[in-house]
Amino acid sequence: MSKLTVIVVGNGMVGYKFCEKLVSKSANFNIIVFGEEPRRAYDRVHLSEYFSGKSAEDLSMSTESWYADNGITLYLNDAVQEINPGEQTVHSLHGKTYHYDYLVLATGSSAFVPDIPGIENEGVFVYRTIEDLELIKAYAANCKVGAVMGGGLLGLEAAKAVIDLGIPEAHVIEFAPRLMPRQIDSMGSAMLQSKLKELGLNIHLNKSTQCITGDHKITGLKFNDESVLPVDMLVISAGIRPRDELAKLAGLHVGTRGGIMVNEKMQTSDERIFAIGECALYDGMIYGLVAPGYEMADVVASYLVEGDKSFKGFDMSTKLKLIGVDVASFGDAFITDPDCRTIIFEDTHKGVYKRINISTDGKYLLGGILIGDADAYNMLLQTVNNKLVLPPNPEDLLLGARGGAEADSGAGVMGLPEDALICSCEAVTKGAICDAVNNQDITTIDGMKKCTKAGTGCGGCVPMVKDLITGTMKANGLYVKNVICEHFEYSRQELLDLIRINKIKNYDEVLDHYGRGDGCEVCKPVVASILSGLWNDLIVKQDVIQDSNDRFLANIQKGGTYSVVPRIPGGEITPDKLIVIGQVAKKYNLYTKITGGQRIDLFGAHMGDLPQIWEELIDAGFESGHAYGKSLRTVKSCVGSTWCRFGLHDSVSFAIEIEERYKGIRSPHKLKGGVSGCIRECAEAQAKDFGIIATEKGWNLYICGNGGSKPQHAQLLAADIDSETCIKYLDRFLMFYIKTADPLTRTATWLNKMEGGMSYLKNVIMNDSLGINEQLEEEIQGLIDTYHCEWKEVVESPELRKRFNHFVNAPAEKDPQAVFVPMRDQVKAKEW
Amino acid sequence: METLTNIQWVMACFTDDIPDNGGGCVKIGSEQIAIFNFSRRGEWYATQNLCPHKQQMVLSRGMIGSAGEDCEPKVACPFHKKTFSLLSGECLSGDEYQIKTYPVKVLEGKVYVGIE
Ligand code: SRM
Ligand SMILES: Cc1cc2nc3c(=O)[nH]c(=O)nc-3n(C[C@H](O)[C@H](O)[C@H](O)COP(=O)(O)OP(=O)(O)OC[C@H]3O[C@@H](n4cnc5c(N)ncnc54)[C@H](O)[C@@H]3O)c2cc1C
Ligand code: SF4
Ligand code: FES
C-alpha cells in the first residue's frame, strides 16, 4: 500500500507536536511540513529566555536531524500561499506544489496591532518570534524609556524583557481597569501591581492610546485623556489574531472575529483539512495556550490512525512566574456571590493574595486566584477538576493546616481519581504515572520523563509526579528509601552510621565495602561530607571526591576563575585588615564586593594565583571563610550593647565566639547563624539556621530558619537562657543535624520532614529523649578540637600548591580563556 | 578497528602530575586537553578540556566516576554537572553534546596523548 501524504502548514509548537505524535503512532504517512519562519520549531513559551542567554538552538524543539531521522520533509522559509481543496494541492511561495491526502493547518497567530496613527513609526515592535526579539534587542541599546501596550500575560512578560534589556524606565499601558483582566480580579491585580511597582515597573491602567507621536521614530504616546508619555520604544502586546488568511482564501469557514472553524475532530468545513493550535476556533473560542494546542494535535494524529479521540474544550487555568511573582488562576476564577462563597486571604506585607470560590453548600471548590505564592496551585486545580469534596475548614486550603505536625503532601495526591490529568502539556493522567511505577518499575523523575513524557513540557507538574511516585511505592508496601545514587543503596544517615561504626576513613574503602561501580559526582561529595563530619580530616587529602567548590577551596565562577572569601567573624574587622584586603585585591586585579553575609568577597582569581593570594592573607592573620564548603558560613551580628542605645547584651562578642566555635565543621548543607542585641533584630537571626536574640534575662535561641528561595522563619527552641546553655543546645542541635540530615538539606527542610516536628526536636535537644546528648556533645567537641584552616595547609605544602596550576605541563601559564571586561572601575567576568 | 596510522603520540605530562582518580589539564600546541587518571580501574583517559555546555575550560577539574550497569567511565563538569562518557565523548545527561576524546598511552612514568 502506498503511503498517504499529510501536509502540515506551519512549523510552530503545535505543528511540531503534531508531527511528533503522528510518527509515534504510525509509519504509514509521508509527512511534508512547510514553515514560514527561517528556523525549526522552537519553544515560544520560553521565548523571553532568548534575552537571558539562551540561543535559538537551545530553544529549538528538536535536533537538527530529527525531521530527516523520522522521514519528514521540512521546507523552512517557505510559506504556503494557496490551497486548492478541489484538487487537494498546496502551492508555496517558492513555487512548490504538492498533492495531499490530508492537510493540517497549524499556522498559529500573529500579534494584534491596533490601528492607531503613528503605529508604523520606527521603534514600535511586536513580541512573537525570535526575529522580533532580535530587532528589539538591537533597538533597545539606545533607549532610556520603554513601554508595553497591553497588561495581559504576554504584555507583562514583554515588560520584563524591557527591564532585562537594561532600559532604565519601563511602563505598561493597559486599557482595562486591571492587569491580566482575563485571569485575575481587581484585588489580585492591585497586589500584583504593587509587587511590580517594587520592581521598578510603572503601570498605567484605564488608558487608551489616541496616537503615537514622532516623525519617523516614536517619541511618545498620547492618550485619550490628553496626557502624554514620552518613550523611545514601544512593544505592542494587545492580543493575538489567529492566522486564518490562507483558510479564508481557500473558502473554509472562519469565525467573524477570526479563527478557522473546527469540529471536535479538529476538522474544518472541508473534511480532509484540519486546523490545530492558535489558528483553530473551537466552540467559539481561540485557545491561546500551548497545552490545548498539543491536545488538538493529539486528536488529529489519533484520527488519522483511526483512533476515536475528541477535543472537548480545555481548562484554561494558568500558573506563571511573572517577573519573579507567582500568578495563578484556575477553574472559575471570577464567579461571585450568590453563586458561590468566596474566601480571601490577603497579606499586603508579603504581597500575597489568595482567593478561592467554593460552592454554596461548602462541598466543592469552583476556582480561584493566587498571587505572590502559588505553591498550592497544582493541588487546588486537581481539587476543582476532579470535584473532590472539600475538608470541613476549606480555609485550610489557603492557610495550610494550622497547628500540629506538617501535613503529608503526598497523601493529597494519592487521593485523586485515576483519570486526574497531572501533566496537562503531555496529557498524562495519574493512572498512567502509577502504572509506570507498578508495572515498569519506574521510580525516578528522569525515568518517568522518558517513559511517560510527564513533566517534560512546562515542568509545573514535577512536584506532583514526584509525590505520586513515592506515594505509589509506599502503597505497594515498598520501603521508600532515599538512596544516594546508583552506587550506594543507602540513605546518607545509614551510610554515616556504617562508616562511623567501622571507622572507615577514605572514599575508595567505603565504595569497596558498601557500594558498587566507580562512584559519581553525586555520591563522592556525600561521602566526603560524611567523612569530614565524622573525622574532620583535611579535605584536601581527598580532593578528587570534593564537590566543584571544595575541590579547589574556592567558588568557581563564569570563565573558570575563583572567588576568595576570608573569614571575618561576626562581621568585625580592623582597619589594618581592611587595608590588606584592599592591597591583595589590587595586586591580583580582583573585583571586590561586600557580601550579604557581612564580609568581603574577592572575585576573579586565577586558579594558579589562589595559593599566593591566601599566603598573603594568612600572613595578615586571615583564615579561610569556607564560603566554598557545606559548612558554617557566617554568624551575622548587629552592633549590640557596645554602641547601640537599645542593645541588651554584647551581640558582636557572642557572634564571634560562636563563629569561632563552629568554623570549618562540615555539614549536610551550609549553616548560617545570627546574633541580635535586642528584639529589633538587625542581624536577621530568625532567618538563619540558628539565631540568637538578646532578652532582658539572657538569650532566646531560634533554630531551623532559612533565607534563600524558600524563606522560612526560625522557631523558638528555648527562651531566656544563659550563654553556656545556649552553646550546649547549639552543640547538640548541630551535631544531630550533621548526623541525620539527607544530603544538601538545610536545617529548615530537615525539620519540615522530621516526624513529630519541632516538639520532637525540642525533646531530643532539651530533654535528651533519645539519650544521645552526651555523645553528641563529645562528637562536636572532637570536631571543634580538630579545626584547621585548610588554606594554611595548602599554602605550606608545595605538593598541594602544585594542584592549583591550570596547565600541569606549563605551571606558570594562566588559562587564556579566563577573560575579563571592565565595569565601574573594576572588572567582571565575560558573559557566557 | 580504529586505524591509528595518522596518530602522533605527544608526551603530555608525568603520571604524578595527575592526581589519583582525578584530572589535570595539559597544553599541547594551542589546545587544552584534560587527562584523567582513573587509578581505581588502572585506566587513563583524555578529552577536550572545554565543556560544550557554556564553553568553559574546566572538564579537567571535574569529578570522574561511572554510570550504569556496564560502568561506563564518565566525567562531570564542575559547573552544571553535565556528564560525558570518557570512552565515546557522548553527553550522558540527556543533551546533544559531544566532546572529543583522545587515545592515551603511559610509558615509564610519562603520559602520551595521541593527536591526529
Ligand atoms: C557572595 C554572596 C552574594 C553577595 O554578593 O552578597 C553569595 C554568593 C553565592 N551564593 Fe549565596 N551568597 C551570599 C549570601 C547569601 C545569603 C544571605 C546571607 O547569608 O545572609 C543567602 C540567603 C540566606 C540563606 O542561605 O538562608 C544566600 C542564599 C544562597 C542559596 C540558597 C540557599 C537555600 O537554602 O535556598 C544558594 C544555593 C545553595 O547553597 O545551594 C547560594 C549560593 C551561592 C553561590 C555559592 C553559588 C555558587 O555555587 O557559585 C554564590 C557564590 C559566589 C562566589 O563565587 O563567591 N546562596 N546567599 C553572599 C556571600 C555571603 C558570605 O559572606 O558568605
Ligand atoms: C512571548 C510569549 C510567551 C508565551 N507564554 C506562554 C505560556 O507561558 N504558556 C502557554 O501555554 N502559552 C504561552 N504562549 C503561547 C504559545 O506560544 C502558543 O500558544 C503556541 O506557540 C501556539 O502554537 P502554534 O503552533 O499554534 O502557533 P505558532 O507557535 O505561532 O506557530 C505557527 C507557525 O506557523 C507559521 N505559519 C503561519 N502561516 C504559515 C503559512 N502560510 N505557511 C507556512 N507557515 C506558516 C508561523 O510563521 C509560525 O511559525 C506564549 C507566547 C508568546 C509569544
Ligand atoms: S542570589 Fe546568590 S546564587 Fe543567585 S546570583 Fe546572586 S549571588 Fe549568585
Ligand atoms: S559549563 Fe559544563 S555543564 Fe555547564
Side-chain angles (χ1 to χ4, degrees):
Chain A
M1 198 186 83
S2 76
K3 290 185 176 182
L4 294 175
T5 299
V6 178
I7 295 186
V8 183
V9 186
N11 186 228
M13 297 186 77
V14 174
Y16 164 77
K17 192 50 104 188
F18 169 75
C19 295
E20 188 189 289
K21 301 240 176 199
L22 189 57
V23 293
S24 77
K25 290 186 207 282
S26 160
N28 291 334
F29 295 96
N30 169 30
I31 307 174
I32 303 172
V33 182
F34 283 92
E36 175 193 62
E37 292 187 64
R39 57 189 101 239
R40 283 172 283 126
Y42 52 88
D43 183 354
R44 213 179 292 288
V45 169
H46 295 104
L47 187 63
S48 296
E49 291 176 18
Y50 186 71
F51 283 145
S52 49
K54 285 232 168 139
S55 65
E57 199 52 43
D58 291 337
L59 289 174
S60 188
M61 311 271 305
S62 66
T63 58
E64 190 157 7
S65 61
W66 185 84
Y67 294 88
D69 292 346
N70 288 286
I72 299 172
T73 312
L74 173 67
Y75 295 115
L76 290 176
N77 230 336
D78 195 4
V80 168
Q81 281 209 304
E82 199 187 318
I83 304 170
N84 189 334
E87 284 162 19
Q88 288 174 229
T89 56
V90 298
H91 188 71
S92 83
L93 181 69
H94 293 311
K96 297 189 188 71
T97 301
Y98 280 103
H99 177 269
Y100 63 81
D101 295 296
Y102 295 105
L103 180 66
V104 179
L105 301 175
T107 49
S109 62
S110 55
F112 167 65
V113 179
D115 189 14
I116 305 174
I119 199 91
E120 67 293 342
N121 271 353
E122 207 177 298
V124 180
F125 301 92
V126 295
Y127 198 83
R128 175 104 202 153
T129 64
I130 289 186
E131 282 67 31
D132 293 335
L133 268 63
E134 280 170 348
L135 291 173
I136 293 175
K137 197 172 180 179
Y139 197 84
N142 302 316
C143 290
K144 300 249 168 337
V145 187
V148 175
M149 185 183 289
L153 191 156
L154 289 184
L156 293 177
E157 182 151 339
K160 170 169 169 39
V162 169
I163 296 179
D164 288 350
L165 281 169
I167 297 181
E169 195 182 317
H171 297 265
V172 170
I173 291 123
E174 169 60 47
F175 176 74
R178 60 173 196 267
L179 292 171
M180 300 183 65
R182 281 156 181 270
Q183 287 88 9
I184 64 178
D185 60 6
S186 35
M187 273 173 90
S189 164
M191 187 67 77
L192 179 60
Q193 204 179 332
S194 73
K195 293 275 282 194
L196 297 180
K197 236 186 217 151
E198 277 171 30
L199 297 162
L201 204 55
N202 301 291
I203 312 248
H204 311 267
L205 300 174
N206 285 316
K207 284 269 181 205
S208 88
T209 309
Q210 192 183 82
C211 67
I212 291 167
T213 59
D215 267 346
H216 299 292
K217 274 188 183 177
I218 178 169
T219 57
L221 295 170
K222 190 167 172 200
F223 303 107
N224 278 353
D225 59 10
E226 298 299 322
S227 60
V228 184
L229 177 71
V231 303
D232 306 320
M233 189 181 110
L234 176 69
V235 179
I236 309 247
S237 180
I240 54 172
R241 267 291 135 89
R243 297 201 46 189
D244 56 8
E245 64 275 5
L246 193 59
K248 224 190 241 169
L249 212 66
L252 301 177
H253 295 177
V254 298
T256 41
R257 297 178 55 211
I260 309 167
M261 285 187 183
V262 292
N263 63 15
E264 74 288 347
K265 299 288 180 201
M266 310 321 292
Q267 260 162 336
T268 64
S269 50
D270 178 324
E271 61 175 19
R272 291 191 168 271
I273 306 183
F274 299 80
I276 56 178
E278 282 191 347
C279 63
L281 182 70
Y282 173 79
D283 200 15
M285 172 129 176
I286 295 284
Y287 290 85
L289 293 176
V290 72
Y294 283 3
E295 174 74 7
M296 296 176 184
D298 199 39
V299 169
V300 178
S302 144
Y303 181 89
L304 295 185
V305 298
E306 278 151 30
D308 67 345
K309 214 175 152 154
S310 298
F311 187 73
K312 300 199 182 72
F314 207 86
D315 181 36
M316 291 297 276
S317 301
T318 25
K319 175 185 168 191
L320 9 122
K321 207 175 192 74
L322 274 170
I323 322 188
V325 186
D326 278 345
V327 178
S329 105
F330 55 93
D332 197 340
F334 296 116
I335 183 172
T336 52
D337 197 42
D339 302 320
C340 74
R341 288 187 296 175
T342 295
I343 303 178
I344 287 179
F345 167 82
E346 193 181 30
D347 178 346
T348 46
H349 172 59
K350 287 195 180 142
V352 174
Y353 169 76
K354 300 180 182 182
R355 159 182 177 167
I356 52 174
N357 307 320
I358 55 180
S359 58
T360 40
D361 59 7
K363 272 198 183 142
Y364 302 105
L365 181 63
L366 305 175
I369 294 168
L370 305 169
I371 312 277
D373 168 12
D375 285 354
Y377 170 76
N378 278 322
M379 202 54 219
L380 292 176
L381 177 61
Q382 294 293 345
T383 309
V384 176
N385 289 354
N386 297 296
K387 295 217 165 45
L388 299 187
V389 177
L390 290 176
N393 302 314
E395 66 272 19
D396 286 355
L397 293 175
L398 294 185
L399 304 171
R402 284 141 299 139
E406 193 85 0
D408 181 358
S409 63
V413 192
M414 289 309 286
L416 295 173
E418 289 299 292
D419 58 357
L421 197 59
I422 304 293
C423 171
S424 48
C425 298
E426 293 289 340
V428 187
T429 60
K430 176 193 163 199
I433 290 168
C434 299
D435 185 67
V437 178
N438 289 331
N439 301 325
Q440 302 179 52
D441 294 333
I442 306 283
T443 54
T444 61
I445 276 285
D446 283 343
M448 193 55 78
K449 283 184 175 172
K450 279 200 191 121
C451 174
T452 61
K453 288 210 144 201
T456 54
C458 69
C461 62
V462 168
M464 282 188 115
V465 176
K466 261 192 197 148
D467 285 347
L468 278 174
I469 296 177
T470 355
T472 316
M473 288 171 67
K474 272 192 190 149
N476 291 346
L478 284 178
Y479 170 47
V480 183
K481 205 154 90 163
N482 279 327
V483 302
I484 295 170
C485 68
E486 59 171 293
H487 303 109
F488 287 97
E489 286 275 329
Y490 297 100
S491 70
R492 181 182 185 273
Q493 188 179 351
E494 288 168 335
L495 197 59
L496 181 139
D497 287 336
L498 287 170
I499 295 175
R500 183 174 51 86
I501 294 162
N502 297 296
K503 301 211 162 44
I504 304 182
K505 300 279 166 74
N506 77 58
Y507 176 79
D508 271 349
E509 239 179 279
V510 178
L511 188 60
D512 289 340
H513 282 84
Y514 306 109
R516 55 163 178 259
D518 305 302
C520 69
E521 70 284 0
V522 176
C523 57
K524 285 183 173 181
V526 171
V527 173
S529 150
I530 292 175
L531 291 173
S532 347
L534 286 173
W535 321 122
N536 215 8
D537 212 2
L538 203 57
I539 66 164
V540 279
K541 281 202 196 147
Q542 293 188 61
D543 58 341
V544 295
I545 59 166
Q546 308 294 339
D547 212 344
S548 313
N549 289 341
D550 262 335
R551 168 87 197 270
F552 295 102
L553 306 177
N555 292 335
I556 194 165
Q557 289 146 356
K558 283 185 178 174
T561 61
Y562 288 86
S563 72
V564 172
V565 189
R567 187 166 294 290
I568 301 179
E572 183 187 81
I573 185 164
T574 61
D576 283 334
K577 279 188 160 173
L578 268 178
I579 290 170
V580 173
I581 290 193
Q583 285 165 337
V584 169
K586 239 174 144 166
K587 179 164 166 196
Y588 295 93
N589 194 24
L590 306 175
Y591 167 88
T592 54
K593 177 178 184 301
I594 310 282
T595 71
Q598 291 188 334
R599 44 191 192 173
I600 301 173
D601 201 338
L602 314 174
F603 296 85
H606 285 282
M607 187 160 86
D609 286 339
L610 287 173
Q612 192 52 41
I613 291 173
W614 276 105
E615 185 169 348
E616 289 172 34
L617 290 170
I618 287 167
D619 277 348
F622 284 105
E623 291 180 315
S624 167
H626 300 97
Y628 44 81
K630 299 295 173 229
S631 55
L632 181 72
R633 295 292 164 85
T634 64
V635 178
K636 187 170 174 174
S637 75
C638 74
V639 61
S641 62
T642 50
W643 295 93
C644 175
R645 66 197 163 116
F646 294 115
L648 295 170
H649 312 303
D650 182 357
S651 43
V652 178
S653 298
F654 202 34
I656 294 174
E657 181 183 345
I658 290 173
E659 185 161 338
E660 297 281 7
R661 184 172 180 81
Y662 301 119
K663 68 187 174 188
I665 294 177
R666 291 304 201 273
S667 43
H669 206 313
K670 59 190 175 196
L671 284 166
K672 299 178 177 185
V675 184
S676 281
C678 82
I679 194 57
R680 287 171 192 74
E681 247 284 71
C682 299
E684 301 172 307
Q686 290 166 97
K688 308 286 182 228
D689 297 278
F690 57 86
I692 300 165
I693 302 176
T695 66
E696 298 282 350
K697 299 187 200 123
W699 307 100
N700 280 356
L701 173 59
Y702 296 79
I703 54 172
C704 299
N706 206 150
S709 55
K710 251 192 171 319
Q712 183 168 323
H713 274 145
Q715 298 180 34
L716 185 66
L717 178 74
D720 296 325
I721 49 179
D722 59 24
S723 306
E724 214 174 296
T725 315
C726 186
I727 287 179
K728 190 167 71 188
Y729 288 167
L730 272 177
D731 279 356
R732 296 172 183 174
F733 161 64
L734 291 174
M735 200 61 213
F736 190 48
Y737 165 66
I738 292 172
K739 292 178 71 170
T740 61
D742 281 334
L744 298 181
T745 304
R746 288 286 291 269
T747 54
T749 320
W750 170 66
L751 176 64
N752 294 347
K753 287 189 184 163
M754 194 178 291
E755 254 168 69
M758 191 63 187
S759 46
Y760 172 81
L761 186 55
K762 240 185 198 168
N763 243 333
V764 173
I765 297 174
M766 293 170 63
N767 307 328
D768 203 7
S769 60
L770 298 179
I772 54 169
N773 282 347
E774 204 177 321
Q775 190 194 348
L776 293 177
E777 283 169 35
E778 246 169 55
E779 284 168 338
I780 200 144
Q781 194 58 47
L783 296 179
I784 295 165
D785 293 342
T786 48
Y787 167 79
H788 29 235
C789 168
E790 49 241 7
W791 265 115
K792 188 153 182 278
E793 313 278 339
V794 172
V795 164
E796 286 170 357
S797 153
E799 196 45 43
L800 290 174
R801 285 180 86 128
K802 224 177 90 178
R803 293 275 177 249
F804 290 82
N805 295 332
H806 181 72
F807 294 113
V808 298
N809 62 344
E813 272 183 60
K814 290 175 182 157
D815 178 8
Q817 295 263 359
V819 186
F820 307 99
V821 293
M823 185 191 55
R824 286 190 295 279
D825 302 329
Q826 300 202 62
V827 292
K828 65 169 183 172
K830 203 172 149 234
E831 215 30 65
W832 57 24
Chain B
M1 254 319 274
E2 250 179 302
T3 37
L4 300 181
T5 42
N6 289 332
I7 285 188
Q8 202 192 331
W9 292 97
V10 183
M11 141 93 182
C13 59
F14 296 95
T15 46
D16 59 4
D17 284 334
I18 313 288
D20 277 348
N21 294 309
C25 170
V26 297
K27 190 176 175 191
I28 294 181
S30 58
E31 228 171 320
Q32 298 197 19
I33 294 180
I35 311 240
F36 299 99
N37 174 5
F38 213 140
S39 48
R40 182 181 167 78
R41 299 161 52 134
E43 291 163 4
W44 287 79
Y45 295 98
T47 68
Q48 67 186 54
N49 194 32
L50 186 79
C51 175
H53 175 229
K54 291 283 178 187
Q55 314 294 322
Q56 303 288 300
M57 274 295 180
V58 289
L59 287 181
S60 59
R61 303 180 209 169
M63 246 180 280
I64 57 174
S66 70
E69 289 298 312
D70 357 304
C71 287
E72 174 111 353
K74 64 171 186 176
V75 58
C77 174
F79 269 95
H80 312 98
K81 303 278 159 70
K82 306 257 179 213
T83 55
F84 302 92
S85 161
L86 291 171
L87 289 172
S88 65
E90 184 196 341
C91 178
L92 302 175
S93 33
D95 294 286
E96 294 284 326
Y97 303 114
Q98 173 74 38
I99 59 170
K100 228 157 106 183
T101 57
Y102 303 82
V104 188
K105 258 196 325 210
V106 174
L107 273 180
E108 292 162 352
K110 291 179 191 145
V111 182
Y112 297 83
V113 176
I115 310 276
E116 279 183 47

